[in-house]
């Protein structure tokens, strides 16, 4: 059977290796055959309660085996899954429910109180799956899903252009934006990454990222496409480096993919040498810069593994890679490498003219089959995000504008230089600093806010917020942090907040962000 959509991944692997563990979590495992059955049960149930092709269904849970059943069951029903960060503020989640018109959310009993609160909010939400609440007619526990008779189930006809999932990320307007991916873009990414890193049925892939973070697609799509086993890293282990190392050894992980900070924490615990991780053959990292002294140290700890710097905005999944085959020098950034597969790229100046020379800095635009359809409910932003090239054969090529400034080095590898806007990469997440400022300035005691990233130590950075209060008002930084927690995901809440008398200004009267950042460094 050919693999033409993401749904086919589990069906095909179930036919080839029915009893092989597809995913593991803590002491539990689910085989490819079990996954095929349970995703079909969920798909049939979703259809019975009115889910139709093209609908959006939310997933509200931490890392667990049910998350996999939810992902593939929703897609098998012809719908698109929308990961909802269970740790995000209530108001933000309600916004996503309304923006994507989500009527059904799949969750677990762990978050029954939060899910009950969502059911009571003003939104399209009508039904919860995976929990049993007092409002029984609106909730269906997993036990009931697993009793659904799948005999006679008629698969929904899904085309590769159909929407498979929508991932929300920070937006510069102060509101999250939904990145819409098709079955084609997701499956193409899975196939290219499986080929690039030679993923095989013998591999055991560590899935460190939560479902709402795009790195998770490697564990959820790439690994099962290759018939490998994905080990979902429990939430608690992500905060305890020593227990993480023990898990990596116990599970004999062969491929690891995470943000650099997770790897830095493993190194800094000082106990790597006590664990046998010779099974590790590929260490993939992306989402932010890797502090070079720690990268070098980790490469010396694991000389048997190959290290790859991975680059790619969530809108195009992954689009470049760079194999670090020797210890990188401390005085040069690690390149983001070359584009892969049949991908194409250009470097453009501010007038959209192509730059071809070595060392010339411009915006990277990428043409790839792993590219998103667009932004959900936002045609204007979608239009702005693409660069269209008219070819000599009167055909139009569509490139995604990454917003990242790059240059070519002497080996023709791409090197990341910075951003052409105020988006930053923070602990693997894309964060629009404008969104944090917008939230702060909504507070009735705040006159003006400015936000930037600053180094807190050689191995880490923090989000710093400077605020100017309205006259004759007082509020503590801790109170402002609590306020931010009500409106922003945890990773976007400023770690440091300073009350400032005034901000440095440009000649036009705007906040001088460069001078502000330099001033912060001196505090």
């Amino acid at each position: 059977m050919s693999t033409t959509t993401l749904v086919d991944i589990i069906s095909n692997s179930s036919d080839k290796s029915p009893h092989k563990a597809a995913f593991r979590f803590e002491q539990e495992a689910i085989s490819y055959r079990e996954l095929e059955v349970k995703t079909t049960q969920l798909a049939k149930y979703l259809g019975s309660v009115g889910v139709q092709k093209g609908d959006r269904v939310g997933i509200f849970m931490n890392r667990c085996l049910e998350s996999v059943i939810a992902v593939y069951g929703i897609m098998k029903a012809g719908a698109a899954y929308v990961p909802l960060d269970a740790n995000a503020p209530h108001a933000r989640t309600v916004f996503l429910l309304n923006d994507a018109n989500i009527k059904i959310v799949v969750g677990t009993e762990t978050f029954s109180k939060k899910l009950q609160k969502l059911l009571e909010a003003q939104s399209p939400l009508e039904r919860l799956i995976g929990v049993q609440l007092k409002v029984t007619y609106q909730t269906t526990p997993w036990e009931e899903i697993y009793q659904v008779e799948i005999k006679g189930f008629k698969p929904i006809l899904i085309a590769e252009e159909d929407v498979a999932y929508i991932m929300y990320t920070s937006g510069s307007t102060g509101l999250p934006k939904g990145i819409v991916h098709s079955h084609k873009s997701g499956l193409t990414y899975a196939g290219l990454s499986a080929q690039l890193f030679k993923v095989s049925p013998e591999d055991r892939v560590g899935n460190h990222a939560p479902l709402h973070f795009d790195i998770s697609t490697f564990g959820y799509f790439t690994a099962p496409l290759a018939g490998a086993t994905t080990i979902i890293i429990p939430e608690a282990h992500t905060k305890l480096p020593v227990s993480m190392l023990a898990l990596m050894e116990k599970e004999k992980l062969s491929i690891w993919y995470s943000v650099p900070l997770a790897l830095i924490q493993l190194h800094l615990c000082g106990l790597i040498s006590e664990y046998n991780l010779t099974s590790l053959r590929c260490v993939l990292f992306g989402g932010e810069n890797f502090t070079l002294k720690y990268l070098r140290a980790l490469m010396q700890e694991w000389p048997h593994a190959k290290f790859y710097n991975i680059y790619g905005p969530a809108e195009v999944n992954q689009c470049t890679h760079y194999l670090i085959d020797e210890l990188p020098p401390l005085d040069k950034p690690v390149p983001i490498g070359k584009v892969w597969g049949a991908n194409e790229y250009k470097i453009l100046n501010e007038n959209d003219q192509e730059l071809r020379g070595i060392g010339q800095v411009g915006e990277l635009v990428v043409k790839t089959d792993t590219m998103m359809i667009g932004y959900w409910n936002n045609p204007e932003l979608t239009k702005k995000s693409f660069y269209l090239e008219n070819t000599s054969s009167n055909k139009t090529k569509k490139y995604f504008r990454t917003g990242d400034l790059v240059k070519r080095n002497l080996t023709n590898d791409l090197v990341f230089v910075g951003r052409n806007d105020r988006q930053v990469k923070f602990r693997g997440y894309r964060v629009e600093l404008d969104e944090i400022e917008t939230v702060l300035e909504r507070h009735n005691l705040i006159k003006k806010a400015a936000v930037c990233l600053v180094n807190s130590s050689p191995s880490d950075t923090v989000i710093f917020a400077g605020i100017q209060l309205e006259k004759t008002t007082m509020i503590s930084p801790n109170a402002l942090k609590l306020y931010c927690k009500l409106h922003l995901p945890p990773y976007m809440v400023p770690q440091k907040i300073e009350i400032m008398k005034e901000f440095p200004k440009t000649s036009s009267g705007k906040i001088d962000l460069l001078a502000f950042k330099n001033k912060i460094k001196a505090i």
Side-chain angles (χ1 to χ4, degrees):
M1 178 179 175
S2 62
T3 306
T4 57
T5 69
L6 289 169
V7 171
D8 298 330
I9 289 176
I10 299 303
S11 300
N12 289 351
S13 290
S14 174
D15 290 341
K16 294 175 185 175
S17 308
H19 305 299
K20 181 179 175 60
F23 287 78
R24 286 181 53 80
F25 177 75
E26 294 183 331
Q27 306 305 315
E28 298 179 285
I30 185 168
S31 70
Y32 278 109
R33 177 55 53 82
E34 290 172 322
L35 193 53
E36 171 69 0
V37 170
K38 289 183 176 181
T39 54
T40 303
Q41 289 174 318
L42 177 58
K44 186 174 182 181
Y45 179 81
L46 289 172
S48 73
V49 294
V51 171
Q52 298 180 0
K53 186 175 178 179
D55 286 351
R56 280 74 55 204
V57 178
I59 300 178
F60 191 92
M61 56 182 79
N62 274 343
R63 303 162 175 86
C64 58
L65 291 181
E66 287 82 4
S67 66
V68 190
I69 299 169
V71 165
Y72 283 97
I74 291 167
M75 291 192 298
K76 190 175 284 189
Y81 76 87
V82 184
L84 304 170
D85 182 359
N87 297 311
H90 173 73
R92 188 182 181 89
T93 304
V94 172
F95 170 83
L96 300 192
L97 294 177
N98 283 288
D99 190 58
N101 193 27
I102 294 173
K103 298 178 181 179
I104 296 179
V105 167
V106 184
T108 58
E109 290 291 348
T110 305
F111 295 113
S112 57
K113 289 183 179 179
K114 288 187 176 183
L115 288 165
Q116 172 79 59
K117 192 177 177 184
L118 286 178
L119 201 57
E120 296 166 354
Q122 287 191 328
S123 78
L125 186 60
E126 299 173 351
R127 179 178 295 274
L128 300 174
I129 294 175
V131 292
Q132 183 69 68
L133 302 177
K134 292 180 181 178
V135 193
T136 53
Y137 69 92
Q138 290 177 300
T139 61
T140 308
W142 280 108
E143 290 77 11
E144 189 173 326
I145 300 298
Y146 297 151
Q147 292 172 8
V148 171
E149 174 57 58
I150 61 174
K151 188 176 180 181
F153 171 71
K154 295 181 179 179
I156 304 296
L157 184 61
I158 302 169
E160 60 177 15
E161 296 83 9
D162 289 337
V163 178
Y165 58 97
I166 303 174
M167 286 195 178
Y168 278 85
T169 186
S170 178
S172 59
T173 61
L175 297 174
K177 57 188 178 185
I179 299 168
V180 183
H181 273 286
S182 65
H183 283 268
K184 179 181 180 179
S185 63
L187 185 59
T188 302
Y189 164 71
L192 285 172
S193 54
Q195 181 182 29
L196 178 62
F197 303 112
K198 297 180 173 60
V199 186
S200 74
E202 286 70 45
D203 276 312
R204 298 173 68 82
V205 178
N207 189 89
H208 181 273
L211 192 60
H212 60 272
F213 188 13
D214 63 299
I215 283 180
S216 66
T217 54
F218 187 86
Y220 280 76
F221 298 156
T222 305
L225 178 67
T229 299
T230 297
I231 288 77
I232 300 174
I233 309 296
E235 191 86 12
H237 286 64
T238 65
K239 299 174 176 64
L240 300 169
V242 176
S243 67
M244 180 85 79
L245 288 167
L247 178 68
M248 293 170 73
E249 179 186 61
K250 177 185 174 184
E251 293 289 356
K252 293 182 172 56
L253 297 186
S254 59
I255 300 177
W256 174 272
Y257 191 5
S258 75
V259 296
L261 181 61
L263 291 164
I264 290 172
Q265 289 172 337
L266 294 181
H267 166 70
L268 291 178
C269 79
L271 297 173
I272 281 185
S273 60
E274 297 186 17
Y275 294 88
N276 180 3
L277 298 177
T278 53
S279 60
L280 203 58
R281 69 174 186 84
C282 276
V283 177
L284 317 179
F285 62 87
E288 61 188 348
N289 290 328
F290 203 138
T291 305
L292 290 172
K293 66 177 180 179
Y294 297 125
L295 174 58
R296 287 168 59 93
L298 206 58
M299 290 178 68
Q300 289 171 315
E301 294 274 11
W302 296 333
H304 53 280
K306 290 183 177 180
F307 284 71
Y308 290 87
N309 185 18
I310 308 300
Y311 165 83
E315 287 88 345
V316 296
N317 287 295
Q318 174 190 337
C319 59
T320 77
H321 70 285
Y322 182 77
L323 172 61
I324 310 167
D325 51 8
E326 58 183 27
L327 291 179
L330 290 169
D331 59 347
K332 291 182 181 179
V334 174
I336 58 173
K338 295 180 172 67
V339 296
W340 59 345
N343 295 349
E344 298 177 35
Y345 79 93
K346 292 180 183 291
I347 300 176
L348 305 179
N349 66 13
E350 61 274 12
N351 297 316
D352 281 347
Q353 296 169 324
E354 186 172 4
L355 303 174
R356 300 177 182 272
I358 300 297
Q360 289 185 292
V361 176
E363 182 186 10
L364 177 66
V365 298
V366 179
K367 177 185 177 296
T368 170
D369 284 342
T370 66
M371 188 163 58
M372 69 170 183
I373 296 173
Y375 294 108
W376 179 257
N377 248 349
N378 203 331
E380 185 178 345
L381 180 60
T382 298
K383 185 177 180 180
K384 288 180 180 178
S385 300
F386 292 117
Y387 164 73
L388 303 179
E389 178 193 32
N390 294 318
T391 65
S392 56
S393 56
N394 291 324
K395 291 184 178 180
T396 301
K397 286 187 176 182
K398 181 190 284 188
Y399 293 75
F400 173 70
R401 295 181 181 273
T402 67
D404 289 330
L405 300 176
V406 300
K407 64 181 179 181
R408 296 181 185 87
N409 64 12
L410 293 174
T411 58
N412 216 32
D413 285 301
L414 294 172
V415 178
F416 177 80
V417 175
R419 290 285 301 176
N420 64 2
D421 54 21
R422 300 201 62 221
Q423 184 189 100
V424 298
K425 294 289 183 69
F426 181 67
R427 296 176 183 173
Y429 292 94
R430 291 191 328 181
V431 173
E432 296 281 1
L433 298 179
D434 288 342
E435 181 175 358
I436 303 174
E437 291 174 0
T438 300
V439 167
L440 283 166
E441 290 174 0
R442 286 180 188 149
H443 195 290
N444 60 357
L445 298 182
I446 294 177
K447 182 179 180 181
K448 196 67 181 170
V451 179
C452 65
L453 282 187
V454 294
N455 292 326
S456 61
S457 71
S459 64
D460 198 14
T461 57
V462 297
I463 296 175
F464 183 100
I467 62 161
Q468 193 174 3
L469 295 174
E470 296 287 354
K471 291 180 180 179
T472 71
T473 59
M474 288 293 292
I475 189 169
S476 70
N478 283 338
L480 287 173
K481 286 182 182 179
L482 290 174
Y483 163 78
C484 288
K485 287 179 181 178
L486 294 174
H487 301 279
L488 294 168
Y491 61 87
M492 289 178 67
V493 174
Q495 287 78 40
K496 288 197 69 177
I497 298 179
E498 292 271 350
I499 298 173
M500 307 183 74
K501 290 184 178 180
E502 59 181 23
F503 290 107
K505 301 284 180 63
T506 64
S507 58
S508 62
K510 296 180 180 179
I511 294 177
D512 188 330
L513 294 171
L514 181 59
F516 167 68
K517 189 167 184 178
N518 290 334
K519 186 174 182 178
I520 297 310
K521 291 177 181 177
I523 293 179

